[in-house]
Amino acid sequence: RTTDGFVEMKLLVIAATGNLGKAIVNAALRDGHDVSVLVRDGTKVPWNGEQLTKVYVSASGSLGDQVAIALAGDTFDAVALAVGAQAADAVRTTISAVAAAKPAPVLLTTGGAPALILRPGNSCVDKCFGGAQWAKDLRDLHLGVTFAALQASTIPTWTMVCPGTMVHKAEGAHSFHRTQPDVIDESVVGASLLYEAVAQAYLDVGEELVKKGAKSAYNHKRVAFKGGGEMSCYELCMTTLIGCPCV
């Protein structure tokens, strides 16, 4: 439902008790979305029954099986998968379950910043993100698992959100929340992002995809973060957790 430009989503958050999952749920509840969650352990759910529409528990078996059960019993505007390609089986089975749903909801998945497209001449990114081999391995993982499965699926509307390092407020980070499709932005190279900022990006992009569908600039793309203000790559790297040797 759209009211004064705001798109109220019926949202299912998978892996909702992890750091990113919690941030997505908290932001969605704050913004007034209808939120259900799917978790492995129902005792770890920190929200009460009045806040959440439904809690699905996947204590055993395939996560995709439980996602399929949830989608068969209800209709969601969007599904947010708050785990990355390291949980390959969960990613692949969830994508298959969403593809089989009728109608298929918008699917928001998680990637890593090295999976983004590097602009020509940008030589510092591999160094900033843990070394060239580490960045290549992570890029191959996210592109080979999550992005490949998405591209091979029949899901009409999906995206892969690709933050870099995520931290809590107490650890110090920048609250970037502006985004662009596919291409990594030099303003956030080496920066750490707040879980809350990444969660808000999930919701912003999700709302756009629900509203615009295939016409959205983020459909079948990766979501890259952009820095705010006038800070340069050098200033960001000097004031966040990860050093930037390129300068």
Side-chain angles (χ1 to χ4, degrees), residues 7 9 78 106 108 159 201-211:
V7 179
M9 294 187 292
V106 167
L108 308 167
T159 195
Y202 263 84
L203 297 180
D204 291 345
V205 172
E207 289 175 26
E208 178 178 315
L209 286 168
V210 168
K211 184 177 180 179

Side-chain angles (χ1 to χ4, degrees), residues 86-223:
Q86 291 86 345
D89 288 344
V91 169
R92 292 190 179 107
T93 56
T94 296
I95 290 172
S96 295
V98 172
K102 304 298 181 186
V106 167
L107 179 58
L108 308 167
T109 63
T110 306
L116 295 165
I117 297 170
L118 307 186
R119 288 193 177 95
N122 188 335
S123 61
C124 71
V125 175
D126 289 345
K127 298 176 184 178
C128 291
F129 286 110
Q133 187 58 51
W134 180 90
K136 181 182 183 302
D137 290 345
L138 192 58
R139 178 180 176 83
D140 291 346
L141 178 66
H142 286 295
L143 293 182
V145 175
T146 307
F147 203 63
L150 288 168
Q151 289 182 310
S153 77
T154 58
I155 302 171
T157 316
W158 55 260
T159 195
M160 186 168 78
V161 182
C162 297
T165 303
M166 291 180 284
V167 297
H168 295 289
K169 287 183 178 179
E171 297 171 322
H174 291 284
S175 184
F176 300 122
H177 54 81
R178 293 190 298 140
T179 58
Q180 64 186 23
D182 283 343
V183 181
I184 196 165
D185 195 272
E186 293 182 10
S187 64
V188 295
V189 170
S192 298
L193 303 174
L194 291 174
Y195 281 107
E196 292 81 3
V198 176
Q200 191 59 55
Y202 263 84
L203 297 180
D204 291 345
V205 172
E207 289 175 26
E208 178 178 315
L209 286 168
V210 168
K211 184 177 180 179
K212 297 183 180 180
K215 294 181 179 180
S216 169
Y218 293 100
N219 190 38
H220 293 192
K221 299 289 178 62
R222 288 153 283 184
V223 177

Side-chain angles (χ1 to χ4, degrees), residues 15-60:
T17 55
N19 288 324
L20 178 57
K22 285 181 184 177
I24 293 172
V25 172
N26 287 334
L29 291 173
R30 180 201 63 217
D31 288 355
H33 295 293
D34 180 312
V35 184
S36 295
V37 300
L38 194 158
V39 297
R40 288 285 190 189
D41 186 350
T43 65
K44 294 183 179 181
V45 175
W47 309 279
N48 60 47
E50 295 180 356
Q51 293 174 292
L52 299 174
T53 300
K54 193 164 184 178
V55 176
Y56 298 92
V57 178
S58 178
S60 61

